[in-house]
Amino acid sequence: MSSSPLSKKRRVSGSETKTGSNYSTANSIRTDLTAAPANGMARNGNEAEIDEGLYSRQLYVLGHEAMKRMQNSNVLISGMRGLGVEIAKNIILGGVKSVTIHDQGNAEWADLSSQFYLREEDVGKNRAEVSHPRLAELNTYVPVTAFTCPLTEEFLSNFQVVVLTNSSLEEQLRVGELCHNKGIKFIVADTRGLFGQLFCDFGEEMVVTDTNGEQCLSAMISMITKDNPGVVTCLDEARHGFENGDFVTFTEIQGMTELNNGEPVEIKVLGPYTFSICDTTSFSDYIRGGIVSQVKVPKKISFKSMKDALAEPEFLITDFAKFDHPAQLHLAFQGLHEFHKRHGRLPKPRNEADANEVFVLTKSVNEAAPAGVQQEQLKEALVKNLAFMAAGDLAPVNAFIGGLAAQEAMKACSGKFMPIMQWLYFDALECLPEEKDKDSLVTEEKCNPRNCRYDGQIAVFGSDLQEKLGKQKYFLVGAGAIGCELLKNFAMIGLAAGEGGNVTVTDMDTIEKSNLNRQFLFRPWDVTKMKSETAAEAVKRMNPNIHITGHQNRVGPETEKIYDDDFFEGLDGVTNALDNVDARMYMDRRCVYYRTPLLESGTLGTKGNVQVVIPFLTESYSSSQDPPEKSIPICTLKNFPNAIEHTLQWARDEFEGLFKQPAENVNQYLSDPKFMERTLKLPGSQPLEIIEAIYKSLVTERPTSWQDCVAWACRHWHTQYSNNIRQLLHNFPPDQLTTSGAPFWSGPKRCPHPLVFDDSLVLHLDYIVAAANLFALSYGIAGSRDRTAVVEMVHGVNVPDFTPKSGVKIHVSDQELQNSNASIDDSRLEELKNALPSPEKLAGFKMFPIHFEKDDDTNFHMDFIVAASNLRAENYDIPPADRHKSKLIAGKIIPAIATTTAAIVGLVCLELYKIVQGHKKLDSYKNGFLNLALPFFGFSEPIAAPRHKYYENEWTLWDRFEVKGIQANGEEMTLKQFLDYFKKEHKLEITMLSQGVSMLYSFFMPAAKLKERLEQPMTEIVTKVSKKKIGKHVKALVFELCCNDENDEDVEVPYVRYTIR
């Protein structure tokens, strides 16, 4: 992975206006990092440019336009307790123009349960002043200022967005009214124990440029009727994916040209391949072709002021199982504010008298409420729960509400995505002890403050859970974005911070610049260090009591010596923070085998999900899978591309086929005596292709100088963008008809045209410079960036004339390609084999395979991909893609943003509370899905583990047969004894027995082999068949069985855990 300090930057228009110039120095602190820090991040003081190296993953979520608008926004966040600092952290990472943090209060013990930038020694100091330098380090492009005076109208006028946390209802109404009248976007966020509240008012005329953040769809047209309304039918290759009310534009239509390049048209969906548009009766007749593309149309929305919205609330439901909670909590929060106003304090934890008073006050609020808000009956238990835990302060709830609030602030700045309209209420009461335990575990005495850093959490759950959390042994796999957020939450809740507790975190990656935008435990000076160690050190600063060990191991069969039986059997749970399905499935299998709870989560841009896997209760991660990704047909890539995705994949294949595979094959040929023998055994035309490539690399195309590399690049340009296209058009002329009389070049087949090389065109020269440098690098020859010199060299290159040949076969479909049994020219193969220089003659020579790395802008990799793809796009008249979009598609980048990660991890840690308490009911747990762009939230109880049966025995994926391999006499079981054991104990006849990919026994085995095997010990058979020794760390083997019951019927049975030590 690259960690290059250089990054591509784009200029952004908009002049710099200085913020905070009227702050009094006595009450505000301004960051001033005068020295430019390491790794190319500029100092604080917005330089009006987007650093793509830093913001790349977020740019794929928000886009350049939204980022530019954010860079013109000054944001105020008031209240620097756990929720305020979470919101500030996410907004600063997001890259607004400036952030001012405001708090007039001093740090208390209860703050430490979630305020990750306060230390124990900070108790008694102003929260904003203490948090300020730590927040300022997060993003050196965002100036951070601390302010400690009351919020005046004059002061608030400096900001485009104001966020209030930890504030009174009077203050919210005062500031809200002021912001509404001045056109300042306004957000209120609040958390009380397991409850959260969010309110947005973005003015009476908010324009949303993109309501969902999805890529615009496009489809190819096969027919348009002349009708009112006209009906458009798309090619039946794929569903169009449009929705009612979408707006579309048309291009490349032949015949009904009136539709081409017109104003966006609103559509009505009729079916998966059809939709209706405007009146087309007066248009010309449709002939053929055309592309329909979705366009985003800005949407105006209007918000009520807080005062009006309090009386006429509109709720966004977060959990449909609790659809009646928001209206109740809307009143309960007002009752709580009233209690605070009367007593100058919050209700005491679990204090019955205080809770009763809050309930009475809420009743009064309800009675005085307008008809639309008034509740027929108040839920006493719900209101009292809010009062019981109002003094509580939980890191996971702050992470969830803080992620949402920060995303709303970014929507306010950028107009990107649909805001919350206007109230959101959330609760996670399932985290409390299950009913039978509740009264004994959560009492007033157990929830009283102890003047310790966990007071905010003890107020909700009592001291017993705190002790349990401290003793936990957890395994965290991954220290990227999700991993960093998890570790922060672990430190705050005190996981593994007590006697005997430990968190093991493993990640084999080093920190790169693009990580800093969301992996908030890392700083510019950490680039190139190991993630796991750096993250472990960072959270130890947040909570010095946490016991944490950093590893640099990949999880997989190769590290089972480290993460062995002893390791897993000592764990209380596993949390995945992975970025690929294979590793997730591997960890899932391990957790099922060791019967360990697993918390699984993932994000994609503004989308995120949480899955909780509980032994003997839920299905596992692997129980359900996403459908496989659609692959692009080979013939589409080779000859008939119609979208930029096709040309980019073609360019990636070119990269591998020119600069990686040939070098790897040459090195194997030179160093491995059995390489040739292995290659000749490969199927189809592979042997000829590989040996031909080696011959080219070592003989016909081997360069000896930089000039040779430029000449090769120039000739290769002509082959790909001129000669091959001319050959294709020779086989299939532009006016060719199919057997049915339809034009060959129609529908998804775009007719190409050859390009003429012109060194004055930037794109043409980009290709030559990048290809020549990469080719040179693969031979260890020094390249050059001198474009003028390259142009001179190109002028001297002799490009052979090309004449298209007859008899060249070009496959039109993948089916045709499969059916054509490529007959290998054996004489050509033999000729090439003999012409290859022997490895002895090339002693000491080796090539240098190039592995594609998208994030280093100095290595020519993306230069080559962009040029190769866009030249091919020009061949086929496909609109080109800029470097940013090309990197996303070719590099298979997963878009990411800090807000989603924070919110998802908050939900993960709420499930963690339940696991540590040992919740037994399936409906206590919640799988979650969210999309902050829409915004949408969905929670469901996990799916129960599916049940199977043999005879009268019910079993799930969590069950197994336990067989002790070593018998009482110290001897190990033979295969015969193993088979007999199952017949006698379980009335099952084993028909097949395997271990991993090794077949140990089957009923159709040759008699002689079977006779020999039956008397052998099981471990001996395993070693013999798998040709691998059993490691000393292995305590047990896993066997899979196929069995028949007594009626000779096939039955599905669990696996066997066969203990050998």
Side-chain angles (χ1 to χ4, degrees):
M1 297 294 270
S2 144
S3 52
S4 161
L6 295 163
S7 71
K8 185 175 174 207
K9 292 178 181 169
R10 293 183 178 228
R11 294 301 311 167
V12 172
S13 61
S15 58
E16 165 85 34
T17 57
K18 195 171 180 216
T19 63
S21 51
N22 60 345
Y23 296 12
S24 79
T25 47
N27 299 312
S28 72
I29 310 170
R30 176 95 189 239
T31 336
D32 185 26
L33 304 184
T34 42
N39 201 42
M41 276 174 79
R43 65 188 183 80
N44 292 54
N46 189 302
E47 317 229 322
E49 54 193 13
I50 297 177
D51 181 343
E52 288 189 3
L54 175 67
Y55 291 118
S56 91
R57 304 307 187 261
Q58 180 177 297
L59 275 164
Y60 293 121
V61 183
L62 299 177
H64 282 89
E65 287 310 310
M67 280 284 297
K68 287 175 194 175
R69 287 193 287 272
M70 273 173 49
Q71 289 193 333
N72 288 325
S73 300
N74 303 309
V75 181
L76 170 72
I77 300 148
S78 174
M80 276 297 111
R81 300 190 70 209
L83 178 60
V85 80
E86 180 67 47
I87 297 168
K89 177 258 286 177
N90 293 329
I91 292 175
I92 292 166
L93 289 172
V96 293
K97 185 172 190 177
S98 76
V99 168
T100 299
I101 55 172
H102 166 256
D103 202 319
Q104 292 179 269
N106 293 337
E108 299 160 14
W109 278 108
D111 297 333
L112 294 176
S113 60
S114 71
Q115 218 286 24
F116 46 86
Y117 285 148
L118 291 180
R119 313 280 181 259
E120 294 188 14
E121 60 271 20
D122 297 328
V123 172
K125 297 176 189 168
N126 179 280
R127 284 186 287 252
E129 289 178 353
V130 171
S131 310
H132 166 253
R134 290 159 193 163
L135 283 167
E137 282 180 358
L138 284 168
N139 186 346
T140 47
Y141 287 120
V142 180
V144 181
T145 310
F147 185 72
T148 58
C149 281
L151 298 176
T152 62
E153 184 174 343
E154 185 195 2
F155 179 73
L156 290 166
S157 306
N158 289 295
F159 301 99
Q160 280 71 47
V161 182
V162 169
V163 185
L164 294 188
T165 71
N166 194 33
S167 53
S168 68
L169 185 59
E170 288 73 27
E171 179 77 343
Q172 291 168 13
L173 288 164
R174 178 184 77 84
V175 174
E177 205 59 28
L178 200 148
C179 289
H180 190 82
N181 295 335
K182 281 184 167 285
I184 298 167
K185 314 281 197 291
F186 177 63
I187 297 169
V188 171
D190 203 1
T191 57
R192 300 285 159 201
L194 289 164
F195 293 88
Q197 177 195 45
L198 197 51
F199 169 77
C200 297
D201 167 15
F202 298 163
E204 286 166 25
E205 287 200 338
M206 163 86 174
V207 177
V208 177
T209 54
D210 177 357
T211 56
N212 61 14
E214 298 298 323
Q215 290 285 326
C216 284
L217 302 167
S218 67
M220 291 181 196
I221 299 165
S222 64
M223 184 62 205
I224 306 174
T225 63
K226 281 179 80 168
D227 217 334
N228 186 12
V231 173
V232 180
T233 305
C234 298
L235 286 178
D236 56 8
E237 281 199 324
R239 293 160 179 262
H240 56 61
F242 299 141
E243 292 177 10
N244 274 342
D246 280 353
F247 283 80
V248 298
T249 55
F250 297 90
T251 50
E252 300 186 21
I253 293 171
Q254 292 177 41
M256 201 181 278
T257 52
E258 292 89 343
L259 283 172
N260 285 337
N261 307 311
E263 287 297 307
V265 183
E266 190 172 349
I267 66 165
K268 185 179 178 192
V269 172
L270 304 175
Y273 306 102
T274 54
F275 57 86
S276 63
I277 50 170
C278 52
D279 180 354
T280 56
T281 47
S282 62
F283 293 175
S284 317
D285 288 348
Y286 173 80
I287 298 174
R288 76 173 70 90
I291 293 169
V292 55
S293 304
Q294 187 184 38
V295 286
K296 306 265 185 185
V297 174
K299 184 175 179 178
K300 254 189 191 175
I301 43 180
S302 181
F303 291 80
K304 296 174 193 140
S305 69
M306 185 167 187
K307 188 174 124 214
D308 293 343
L310 209 54
E312 298 171 23
E314 193 182 335
F315 301 119
L316 175 69
I317 309 284
T318 55
D319 188 344
F320 288 95
K322 305 172 180 176
F323 71 95
D324 53 347
H325 282 203
Q328 297 270 340
L329 291 172
H330 189 65
L331 300 165
F333 265 86
Q334 291 177 60
L336 186 63
H337 279 298
E338 188 56 38
F339 180 96
H340 191 277
K341 187 177 167 185
R342 291 185 181 194
H343 298 280
R345 64 171 176 85
L346 288 164
K348 290 178 190 149
R350 288 279 151 191
N351 182 287
E352 199 64 42
D354 282 3
N356 284 330
E357 189 181 337
V358 170
F359 183 63
V360 170
L361 291 168
T362 305
K363 261 165 74 177
S364 305
V365 172
N366 189 37
E367 284 156 16
V373 180
Q374 206 168 67
Q375 297 296 297
E376 207 173 301
Q377 198 176 0
L378 280 177
K379 293 192 158 197
E380 186 172 353
L382 183 68
V383 176
K384 285 174 80 170
N385 260 322
L386 176 64
F388 282 152
M389 55 181 72
D393 188 25
L394 300 174
V397 179
N398 286 336
F400 177 68
I401 297 293
L404 270 56
Q407 187 67 61
E408 293 309 302
M410 290 187 192
K411 292 175 188 178
C413 299
S414 65
K416 179 96 170 182
F417 310 141
M418 197 67 186
I420 287 172
M421 298 296 291
Q422 283 185 257
W423 292 97
L424 175 145
Y425 287 96
F426 171 80
D427 74 78
L429 291 174
E430 315 77 31
C431 294
L432 289 171
E434 288 177 326
E435 285 310 316
K436 58 182 175 51
D437 309 325
K438 194 179 286 182
D439 297 334
S440 61
L441 291 172
V442 187
T443 62
E444 186 174 359
E445 189 192 340
K446 286 187 174 172
C447 295
N448 273 338
R450 284 150 171 70
N451 279 353
C452 79
R453 67 174 303 129
Y454 306 115
D455 276 357
Q457 188 163 271
I458 289 168
V460 178
F461 294 110
S463 50
D464 293 6
L465 176 61
Q466 201 53 58
E467 207 170 306
K468 265 188 189 169
L469 282 163
K471 291 177 177 167
Q472 294 295 298
K473 291 186 175 69
Y474 257 75
F475 186 28
L476 170 58
V477 190
I482 288 176
C484 283
E485 290 287 339
L486 280 163
L487 285 173
K488 174 252 293 178
N489 278 278
F490 289 175
M492 291 298 98
I493 67 176
L495 187 82
E499 204 175 319
N502 189 57
V503 171
T504 304
V505 54
T506 189
D507 195 312
M508 67 282 177
D509 274 354
T510 55
I511 298 161
E512 298 172 29
K513 184 178 176 182
S514 65
N515 301 152
L516 303 179
N517 172 238
R518 65 204 180 284
Q519 300 176 19
F520 86 107
L521 297 179
F522 309 141
R523 300 290 171 268
W525 46 87
D526 294 323
V527 168
T528 73
K529 292 181 189 170
M530 297 305 301
K531 283 186 178 179
S532 54
E533 286 175 3
T534 311
E537 284 167 24
V539 289
K540 272 193 96 63
R541 289 194 291 275
M542 290 178 176
N543 182 352
N545 302 320
I546 190 170
H547 301 115
I548 183 164
T549 318
H551 289 180
Q552 288 86 46
N553 306 313
R554 184 189 297 275
V555 290
E558 67 276 15
T559 53
E560 283 175 15
K561 286 192 184 84
I562 301 159
Y563 306 121
D564 57 8
D565 292 359
D566 290 339
F567 177 82
F568 269 96
E569 283 160 9
L571 292 176
D572 293 297
V574 173
T575 331
N576 275 351
L578 290 158
D579 62 358
N580 69 87
V581 171
D582 291 343
R584 284 184 166 107
M585 288 177 78
Y586 172 79
M587 284 311 297
D588 182 61
R589 288 196 298 274
R590 298 294 272 168
C591 288
V592 168
Y593 177 73
Y594 291 108
R595 295 162 167 174
T596 306
L598 170 68
L599 286 164
E600 169 58 59
S601 59
T603 69
L604 173 68
T606 57
K607 302 182 187 97
N609 73 289
V610 178
Q611 184 180 352
V612 55
V613 178
I614 306 293
F616 303 105
L617 199 58
T618 72
E619 66 172 15
S620 78
Y621 172 78
S622 308
S623 301
S624 56
Q625 285 180 36
D626 292 334
E629 272 185 47
K630 247 181 112 180
S631 58
I632 305 167
I634 296 168
C635 290
T636 301
L637 285 177
K638 282 182 104 165
N639 300 308
F640 308 112
N642 58 55
I644 200 70
E645 287 77 7
H646 302 159
T647 65
L648 279 161
Q649 184 57 54
W650 178 87
R652 280 288 278 113
D653 294 346
E654 271 277 279
F655 186 97
E656 302 292 309
L658 294 173
F659 311 123
K660 180 172 170 264
Q661 285 156 1
E664 284 177 346
N665 289 336
V666 163
N667 290 347
Q668 279 186 300
Y669 166 70
L670 296 176
S671 62
D672 182 352
K674 291 200 170 158
F675 172 75
M676 190 59 84
E677 186 187 318
R678 268 201 323 274
T679 303
L680 294 174
K681 286 180 186 165
L682 291 170
S685 57
Q686 285 183 56
L688 183 60
E689 284 168 11
I690 289 171
I691 291 166
E692 206 153 32
I694 293 173
Y695 182 73
K696 270 186 184 175
S697 298
L698 290 177
V699 183
T700 53
E701 290 183 356
R702 182 178 167 185
T704 55
S705 66
W706 167 237
Q707 212 155 349
D708 289 350
C709 298
V710 172
W712 169 86
C714 186
R715 285 192 288 270
H716 193 72
W717 188 101
H718 283 85
T719 302
Q720 295 296 34
Y721 304 110
S722 177
N723 305 353
N724 289 352
I725 301 295
R726 284 161 65 195
Q727 181 66 55
L728 182 62
L729 290 171
H730 175 77
N731 282 36
F732 307 108
D735 53 2
Q736 171 120 351
L737 299 178
T738 64
T739 47
S740 62
F744 176 84
W745 294 107
S746 64
K749 291 190 178 73
R750 297 177 71 85
C751 185
H753 64 273
L755 303 183
V756 177
F757 185 75
D758 181 348
D759 58 47
S760 69
L761 292 173
V762 173
L763 187 62
H764 292 205
L765 196 57
D766 281 351
Y767 180 91
I768 302 295
V769 172
N773 271 286
L774 291 167
F775 193 63
L777 187 62
S778 69
Y779 283 93
I781 293 169
S784 163
R785 290 175 186 276
D786 185 340
R787 291 170 78 94
T788 315
V790 168
V791 171
E792 285 300 311
M793 290 177 196
V794 167
H795 289 165
V797 174
N798 175 31
V799 177
D801 286 338
F802 175 78
T803 310
K805 299 179 185 69
S806 295
V808 173
K809 180 70 180 155
I810 294 177
H811 300 294
V812 174
S813 71
D814 282 18
Q815 195 58 51
E816 195 182 296
L817 182 66
Q818 281 168 352
N819 297 343
S820 71
N821 292 322
S823 56
I824 296 190
D825 185 345
D826 285 335
S827 59
R828 172 74 181 141
L829 191 60
E830 207 49 46
E831 184 190 322
L832 280 171
K833 244 174 69 183
N834 297 333
L836 278 177
S838 69
E840 294 76 41
K841 282 186 186 159
L842 290 165
F845 174 79
K846 73 166 182 173
M847 286 185 70
F848 303 90
I850 301 173
H851 297 273
F852 179 64
E853 168 48 63
K854 60 189 174 292
D855 280 323
D856 177 355
D857 283 336
T858 65
N859 62 10
F860 294 106
H861 297 197
M862 276 312 301
D863 297 345
F864 176 81
I865 298 291
V866 174
S869 167
N870 283 343
L871 285 164
R872 189 162 175 81
E874 196 180 325
N875 277 142
Y876 286 87
D877 294 308
I878 295 167
D882 64 10
R883 187 185 187 91
H884 183 65
K885 184 178 178 181
S886 300
K887 191 189 278 195
L888 172 73
I889 299 166
K892 295 184 168 64
I893 288 175
I894 296 171
I897 190 164
T899 46
T900 313
T901 312
I904 280 295
V905 169
L907 296 177
V908 171
C909 292
L910 290 173
E911 297 309 304
L912 177 64
Y913 281 140
K914 301 169 191 176
I915 292 172
V916 174
Q917 291 173 87
H919 280 23
K920 300 278 187 292
K921 295 182 196 162
L922 192 67
D923 61 7
S924 293
Y925 293 96
K926 295 263 185 192
N927 284 348
F929 173 80
L930 56 79
N931 184 344
L932 299 184
L934 294 177
F936 170 81
F937 303 90
F939 293 97
S940 60
E941 70 178 46
I943 296 171
R947 300 193 165 278
H948 311 277
K949 208 172 182 183
Y950 69 94
Y951 298 129
E952 290 309 303
N953 304 306
E954 265 205 331
W955 62 279
T956 71
L957 64 104
W958 298 99
D959 295 297
R960 59 190 177 210
F961 294 114
E962 295 280 359
V963 178
K964 285 195 166 65
I966 310 299
Q967 300 164 94
N969 61 3
E971 300 272 311
E972 196 202 332
M973 249 188 199
T974 61
L975 175 59
K976 184 177 186 311
Q977 288 167 327
F978 185 86
L979 300 175
D980 291 346
Y981 169 83
F982 270 86
K983 218 162 194 169
K984 187 178 159 204
E985 294 294 320
H986 302 289
K987 300 189 179 63
L988 292 170
E989 184 184 347
I990 296 176
T991 53
M992 281 196 276
L993 172 68
S994 60
Q995 191 255 342
V997 292
S998 306
M999 180 65 74
L1000 307 181
Y1001 162 80
S1002 64
F1003 67 90
F1004 50 77
M1005 220 172 223
K1009 197 178 196 180
L1010 180 59
K1011 189 180 174 199
E1012 179 193 345
R1013 233 172 239 194
L1014 282 170
E1015 300 309 319
Q1016 289 174 337
M1018 295 297 285
T1019 52
E1020 199 177 301
I1021 299 170
V1022 169
T1023 313
K1024 201 170 176 183
V1025 177
S1026 68
K1027 300 185 173 65
K1028 285 178 195 159
K1029 283 185 179 173
I1030 297 166
K1032 290 198 172 101
H1033 61 282
V1034 178
K1035 285 185 181 176
L1037 298 171
V1038 171
F1039 295 144
E1040 305 280 348
L1041 311 174
C1042 290
C1043 294
N1044 287 348
D1045 61 13
E1046 290 178 311
N1047 303 325
D1048 220 23
E1049 294 285 329
D1050 251 359
V1051 283
E1052 204 177 338
V1053 295
Y1055 69 94
V1056 177
R1057 183 172 184 264
Y1058 179 81
T1059 316
I1060 55 174
R1061 289 190 176 90

